Amino acid sequence: MTDTTVDKTTERTAVEFWFDPNCPWAWMTSRWVGDVAEHRDLDVTWKVMSLFVLNEDQDIPEDYRKRTEAGQIYPRIVTAARLRLGQDIVKPLYDALGEHIHHRQEKDPAQVVPAVLAELGLDADLLDYAWTDEVDQAVRASHQDGIERVGQDVGTPVIAVEGTAFFGPVISPAPKGQEALDLWDGVVAVAKYPGFFELKRSRTVGPIFDTTA
């Protein structure tokens, strides 16, 4: 009898991950994917989406609308860096931004962005793109690429596994070790089933930042 068992550690899985750096839920999911990538052979492409673009035509509270407008700074700076330096800068920049925004709970983008650019040794003039709409078309194109895969009634993150995209998973805290791998294997399994669309329950906890970038 032929052994058809496949060693999961040697499979190479194409993954696309859309995130808005402002979103704590996307941040935790990204920490989980990063942990899995250390044990599974993942080819992850990190892409920007925008909570501002997602909600600009929605009936949302005015205070949240103002936050999403102000939050455009972070998708813009990631996009500007990608356009100048290439795809490889996206994940390190996201990691550094998330450390400041979510773990350190720093609220002022005017302080966060220059600090992150300096930490990564990036050109300070990238900051200029955070305050203008010069890269907004590229932000919207990346956002639209992700949202068209899953529909409008979702949020961030959006993940595609071997071309099959879905919203989430929304998790708190980010699992580690074997729990992280078990969850990943479950996600891969449902992504392989063409008729799978939705699995959801109400959140009972908020973001728990017990991981590091």
Side-chain angles (χ1 to χ4, degrees):
M1 179 180 295
T2 302
D3 184 1
T4 59
T5 302
V6 177
D7 182 356
K8 293 178 181 178
T9 63
T10 63
E11 293 180 346
R12 188 161 185 80
T13 304
V15 179
E16 296 165 277
F17 191 111
W18 284 265
F19 64 93
D20 184 319
N22 295 280
C23 180
W25 300 102
W27 173 251
M28 282 186 292
T29 305
S30 74
R31 301 308 91 186
W32 162 66
V33 170
D35 188 74
V36 171
E38 295 181 3
H39 304 280
R40 297 282 192 266
D41 194 2
L42 306 185
D43 182 11
V44 185
T45 303
W46 301 88
K47 302 183 176 184
V48 161
M49 64 184 298
S50 167
L51 288 171
F52 170 75
V53 175
L54 184 70
N55 290 285
E56 63 181 341
D57 296 323
Q58 304 300 316
D59 183 14
I60 58 175
E62 187 59 28
D63 61 337
Y64 183 61
R65 186 174 302 281
K66 290 180 179 178
R67 289 201 303 273
T68 63
E69 289 175 351
Q72 293 181 85
I73 290 170
Y74 295 128
R76 283 171 173 169
I77 202 68
V78 175
T79 300
R82 177 183 63 81
L83 292 174
R84 178 179 294 185
L85 301 170
Q87 180 63 40
D88 288 347
I89 195 59
V90 174
K91 180 60 160 51
L93 185 50
Y94 181 30
D95 288 344
L97 286 169
E99 175 65 26
H100 284 263
I101 297 166
H102 302 300
H103 288 282
R104 302 183 191 179
Q105 291 290 296
E106 296 174 4
K107 304 299 185 183
D108 186 359
Q111 294 182 0
V112 170
V113 175
V116 167
L117 294 179
E119 286 172 14
L120 297 180
L122 301 180
D123 294 337
D125 71 329
L126 283 169
L127 181 62
D128 297 341
Y129 294 94
W131 311 104
T132 72
D133 62 0
E134 188 168 344
V135 298
D136 281 7
Q137 185 175 352
V139 171
R140 287 177 177 273
S142 180
H143 174 90
Q144 196 64 22
D145 180 30
I147 213 70
E148 285 180 351
R149 316 274 191 101
V150 292
Q152 293 290 333
D153 56 340
V154 299
T156 173
V158 170
I159 298 181
V161 180
E162 296 289 358
T164 299
F166 47 84
F167 161 58
V170 176
I171 49 180
S172 182
K176 304 183 187 72
Q178 189 59 49
E179 283 189 333
L181 298 178
D182 289 344
L183 179 59
W184 177 257
D185 292 340
V187 166
V188 172
V190 299
K192 289 180 178 178
Y193 182 65
F196 177 82
F197 297 106
E198 187 171 351
L199 183 68
K200 186 176 182 180
R201 64 173 177 167
S202 297
R203 293 194 293 261
T204 58
V205 297
I208 300 173
F209 301 116
D210 65 344
T211 60
T212 58

